[in-house]
Amino acid sequence: MEKKQALQCVVLFVCISASWIRVESLGNGLGLTPQMGWNSWNHFGCNINEKLIRQTADALVSSGLANVGYKYINIDDCWANYNRDKWGNLHGNDATFPSGIKALADYVHSKGLKFGIYSSAGTRTCSGRMPGSLGYEKQDAKTFASWGVDYLKYDNCNTDGSAEKQRFPVMTQALRASGRNIFYSMCEWGYQEPAKWGAEVGNSWRTTTDIKDTWSSMLFNIDINDGYAKYARPGGWNDPDMLEVGNGGMSYNEYVAHFSLWAISKAPLIIGCDVINLNKEAHSILANKEVIAINQDSLGVQANKVKKYGDLEVWAGPLSGGRKVVLLLNRGNQGTKLITFNWADVGIPPNSAATLRDVWLHYTYKKTIRHKLTVKVAPHSCRLFVLQPV
Ligand code: GLA
């Protein structure tokens, strides 16, 4: 073999192994794109029961949201009896989930959806109303598997004080040994910077404290999450917490910015509102297929903040097919502002022409553009574009 050919082989081998490592760190084959679904916590808290979960599964399908990718129905805290039974097993709460969790999982599956559940790496969950899985990891993982659970959100309350880095992998092993392939969503709130070690442990990891349904909380979380952008990859995602779209605390433009920031950050798109009574505006945001496609893009690279002048920001990242996603954000609350970005800011060669698609207006501009772009952005709003260099 000639020297040049040999070198090409080595380069190819290194590239293939690097991409393999990037794709399959945890190795359960799940979460190759960020997970999409619904979770009970942000809207309902502990006020949940089996009827609500069934109706939510129905609504996810009838609203068309399942069709655009939202597949998981996840129950959060407060689903179990206060205590384990005498064999140490968890059971669905007798009053609120009288048919049992297996029956509920079966119902969710019968709708073509997947079913998720919640526990904590502590002796009790965060509500204190049910046991956590610390010391019962294997037993609980087996129980979850026997019920047909597809997804576990694992929280960090009432711990024994040991390090998250030690406690969370115990559940990784337990899930592996459970006999079912279960998506593992770690929720240790960024305490031990799980972005730096989570890829081998779980499929996603919270980077932040709990989101609130406000503009400032949403931005607070996405800014922290942005600091870990380089660690996201297919199979393991940064999680700035669940969506608040539809819960009523933010304006339409603010929710569009919230959803756009989550989408480009390759964040899990877990709906946190009441989808049984979903209003039209929230539906139009959550069901925007073009924005979802950015989130679910096969390249799996998290966009990040590339420029900031005061309240005005440019966020950008690569998409498959040589495209770029660019988000222009006006965080301020006074007046529409002009935001400019140069091709170099977003990784396009300076002299390339590019087509420009506004994914909220669903409009492709007639003329191609070169060098830079200046766009008006209203207060507490964003504009979101996909650029295709031509
Ligand atoms: C923690 C988590 C939340 C939710 C609650 C439930 O605060 O971060 O997402 O699961 O517990 O009690």
Side-chain angles (χ1 to χ4, degrees):
M1 199 187 298
E2 300 225 336
K3 235 184 178 177
K4 197 174 154 202
Q5 267 180 318
L7 189 68
Q8 277 171 347
C9 276
V10 171
V11 170
L12 194 66
F13 175 75
V14 170
C15 290
I16 290 172
S17 4
S19 67
W20 180 78
I21 291 164
R22 192 169 176 272
V23 170
E24 279 292 350
S25 298
L26 178 59
N28 66 0
L30 299 174
L32 298 182
T33 60
Q35 67 268 36
M36 294 177 65
W38 173 88
N39 171 292
S40 53
W41 184 256
N42 282 357
H43 190 86
F44 296 99
C46 279
N47 202 9
I48 54 173
N49 57 64
E50 61 184 37
K51 189 172 163 215
L52 171 80
I53 306 300
R54 282 171 190 243
Q55 287 180 346
T56 299
D58 295 347
L60 208 66
V61 173
S62 62
S63 62
L65 288 170
N67 240 340
V68 295
Y70 298 93
K71 287 280 151 36
Y72 288 102
I73 291 280
N74 296 344
I75 339 181
D76 208 279
D77 204 347
C78 306
W79 59 267
N81 276 336
Y82 190 82
N83 289 315
R84 294 172 182 274
D85 69 13
K86 62 179 172 193
W87 297 280
N89 291 319
L90 292 171
H91 289 281
N93 186 291
D94 291 332
T96 48
F97 292 86
S99 315
I101 304 298
K102 168 121 189 18
L104 189 54
D106 288 347
Y107 184 79
V108 168
H109 289 148
S110 78
K111 295 271 150 183
L113 301 171
K114 292 183 180 295
F115 181 73
I117 212 160
Y118 161 97
S119 186
S120 176
T123 51
R124 299 196 71 76
T125 60
C126 294
S127 66
R129 294 208 204 171
M130 58 171 274
S133 295
L134 188 66
Y136 289 84
E137 291 87 350
K138 274 199 173 149
Q139 185 170 352
D140 290 352
K142 279 231 159 76
T143 302
F144 300 154
S146 76
W147 290 341
V149 165
D150 302 298
Y151 184 116
L152 174 67
K153 173 176 169 184
Y154 204 43
D155 217 332
N156 198 22
C157 282
N158 299 303
T159 75
D160 59 2
S162 63
E164 284 73 23
K165 270 186 194 171
Q166 258 104 57
R167 255 179 306 115
F168 280 73
V170 181
M171 187 51 93
T172 311
Q173 297 307 333
L175 292 174
R176 254 189 205 134
S178 73
R180 194 172 167 90
N181 206 13
I182 297 178
F183 189 105
Y184 187 19
S185 156
M186 296 157 57
C187 179
E188 62 84 279
W189 316 309
Y191 276 11
Q192 286 210 304
E193 300 195 286
K196 296 183 178 169
W197 49 272
E200 286 163 18
V201 180
N203 296 111
S204 66
W205 44 84
R206 282 273 296 275
T207 50
T208 67
T209 179
D210 288 8
I211 193 169
K212 294 187 209 74
D213 190 11
T214 64
W215 176 246
S216 60
S217 164
M218 182 276 287
L219 290 178
F220 180 80
N221 276 17
I222 204 68
D223 283 342
I224 294 174
N225 194 70
D226 182 44
Y228 298 105
K230 68 176 181 202
Y231 299 103
R233 81 278 299 272
W237 307 105
N238 290 314
D239 177 3
D241 205 357
M242 302 173 289
L243 297 166
E244 292 284 8
V245 177
N247 279 333
M250 290 187 241
S251 68
Y252 173 77
N253 282 351
E254 290 173 338
Y255 279 142
V256 165
H258 173 21
F259 194 65
S260 301
L261 284 163
W262 261 238
I264 68 165
S265 302
K266 302 292 186 280
L269 297 181
I270 302 292
I271 298 170
C273 70
D274 176 4
V275 292
I276 303 164
N277 300 297
L278 190 63
N279 65 57
K280 264 199 178 153
E281 251 182 15
H283 184 276
S284 73
I285 296 172
L286 296 167
N288 184 327
K289 285 188 195 166
E290 291 194 65
V291 180
I292 292 171
I294 293 169
N295 179 259
Q296 297 290 302
D297 185 64
S298 58
L299 201 59
V301 174
Q302 180 172 331
N304 67 347
K305 198 182 294 189
V306 296
K307 236 181 171 180
K308 178 173 178 66
Y309 345 68
D311 283 334
L312 310 180
E313 294 176 355
V314 180
W315 295 59
L319 298 173
S320 56
R323 296 166 306 142
K324 308 287 174 191
V325 61
V326 178
L327 181 149
L328 307 175
L329 179 66
N330 180 356
R331 302 166 74 114
N333 52 17
Q334 277 170 11
T336 293
K337 297 280 159 67
L338 293 175
I339 304 184
T340 298
F341 66 95
N342 299 308
W343 270 201
D345 298 329
V346 301
I348 302 179
N351 291 320
S352 298
T355 60
L356 184 71
R357 170 103 181 147
D358 183 317
V359 293
W360 284 106
L361 296 178
H362 305 295
Y363 179 76
T364 304
Y365 288 79
K366 300 269 170 335
K367 285 190 179 159
T368 56
I369 297 164
R370 282 175 196 275
H371 309 301
K372 64 176 184 176
L373 185 68
T374 300
V375 176
K376 279 186 191 162
V377 188
H380 282 206
S381 300
C382 79
R383 300 287 299 276
L384 183 59
F385 299 103
V386 171
L387 279 81
Q388 172 84 68
V390 287

